[in-house]
Amino acid sequence: MTLPFTTATTGERTGTARHYLMCRPEFFTVSYSINPWMDPDAGADTARAVQQWESLRQAYESLGHTVSLIDAVDGLPDMVFAANGALVVEGRVYGARFAHAERVSEGPAYLRWFAERGFETLEASFTNEGEGDYLTLDEMILAGTGFRTDVAAHMEAQEFLGRPVVTLRLVDPRFYHLDTALFPLDGRNVAYYPEAFSAGSRKVLERLFPDALIASAADAEVLGLNAVSDGRNVVLNAEATGLALELKRRGYEVVPVDLSELRKAGGGPKCCTLEIRP
């Protein structure tokens, strides 16, 4: 059960305490390329990635959220991107089935973590990458396709979770997961970058969310939309300055973080964060 925050600040918006699963990037590196952000020749600094990740974890805990940890696995450098590991709704866990061979072993590792703790789990029959392509709102789940997740997985998730699933097609390979191009502001509204979506999907978003926050190309291109909101506080990449100003204008508290090292693999705050919804 989630409970309203008690804070010293005042404002119309309230946040709810969340439970997140994260994975310390002990073995993080950029040794292969499966998206346009990754350059193995440039590599990555593991120690710096760990420091930045620890700052993200501390930010969540300072906001009153609970953070659980899954052990990192040597040889799985992208396991830090916990959001891709599963989708959890009302205590039911729909497992990930990764599109690329380099990440295939992550799915069973995450599903095993949940099974060992008594969650009801389903091993996916179709390719999907967890919360990377599934974003949960109060009345629906928005689901991305086009690069990593099969539309058939959308239907499988809907059957297992009993929530309406709305398919959205991604068309720009820089925004290979839904969570790189859109994030829920709360349970009813979203922020997104229209050019990441097909024409039909843009119309769907316009219809569903007429008051959405529309992000600029500049903010999208620093993965500003790979953000995490609890309904009041929004944790996002520090470089997304225009998005931060608009969020403040709408009454949100902005918590900027530096995840520049993890962005070398195409990740940001949301990629590192799998929400456990009881």
Side-chain angles (χ1 to χ4, degrees):
M1 180 179 179
T2 54
L3 301 173
F5 284 150
T6 300
T7 75
T9 58
T10 60
E12 295 182 0
R13 297 193 181 279
T14 58
T16 53
R18 308 294 175 97
H19 185 185
Y20 298 134
L21 180 62
M22 300 180 70
C23 181
R24 195 170 187 267
E26 297 174 17
F27 306 108
F28 175 72
T29 185
V30 179
S31 57
Y32 51 78
S33 180
I34 57 174
N35 69 53
W37 301 86
M38 303 178 84
D39 180 0
D41 291 335
D45 184 329
T46 303
R48 187 162 184 252
V50 169
Q51 292 173 350
Q52 293 179 348
W53 179 92
E54 288 287 1
S55 295
L56 175 64
R57 175 187 176 182
Q58 291 167 13
Y60 288 143
E61 292 176 340
S62 73
L63 293 171
H65 303 311
T66 299
V67 176
S68 294
L69 300 179
I70 184 172
D71 291 336
V73 176
D74 194 1
L76 297 178
D78 283 345
M79 196 167 168
V80 60
F81 301 128
N84 305 159
L87 170 64
V88 187
V89 178
E90 294 181 347
R92 309 186 89 193
V93 184
Y94 180 55
R97 189 181 184 96
F98 283 84
H100 293 281
E102 293 88 346
R103 301 193 67 183
V104 163
S105 296
E106 294 179 43
Y110 276 96
L111 206 61
R112 184 165 54 251
W113 189 94
F114 283 104
E116 289 173 351
R117 287 155 181 79
F119 288 82
E120 181 181 357
T121 63
L122 177 66
E123 183 178 353
S125 300
F126 303 98
T127 303
N128 83 90
E129 299 198 351
E131 278 197 325
D133 272 327
Y134 293 103
L135 297 174
T136 303
L137 286 83
D138 288 348
E139 302 299 331
M140 71 186 75
I141 298 171
L142 302 178
T145 190
F147 297 104
R148 299 290 186 89
T149 294
D150 193 315
V151 173
H154 296 178
M155 296 301 97
E156 186 173 52
Q158 179 172 274
E159 286 298 312
F160 178 60
L161 300 171
R163 292 271 188 110
V165 172
V166 177
T167 294
L168 301 169
R169 181 166 296 278
L170 298 160
V171 296
D172 186 329
R174 295 175 301 169
F175 307 106
Y176 56 95
H177 278 149
L178 182 62
D179 72 358
T180 64
L182 181 151
F183 74 94
L185 294 167
D186 51 36
R188 300 166 301 281
N189 200 12
V190 303
Y192 69 98
Y193 176 54
E195 285 75 12
F197 297 91
S198 67
S201 293
R202 288 198 299 270
K203 290 179 181 178
V204 169
L205 288 167
E206 290 166 3
R207 182 181 294 271
L208 288 175
F209 308 108
D211 191 39
L213 192 165
I214 304 302
S216 68
D219 288 329
E221 289 166 1
V222 293
L223 291 181
L225 289 159
N226 194 247
V228 177
S229 174
D230 61 29
R232 181 176 189 272
N233 306 281
V234 180
V235 180
L236 82 169
N237 282 327
E239 296 90 340
T241 53
L243 182 58
L245 287 173
E246 179 59 21
L247 286 164
K248 291 176 182 177
R249 189 187 70 79
R250 292 189 178 213
Y252 292 93
E253 297 292 327
V254 173
V255 183
V257 293
D258 177 10
L259 291 184
S260 54
E261 205 64 30
L262 291 167
R263 192 159 67 246
K264 293 177 180 178
K270 176 55 191 170
C271 283
C272 296
T273 311
L274 173 58
E275 184 168 351
I276 302 174
R277 299 177 183 84

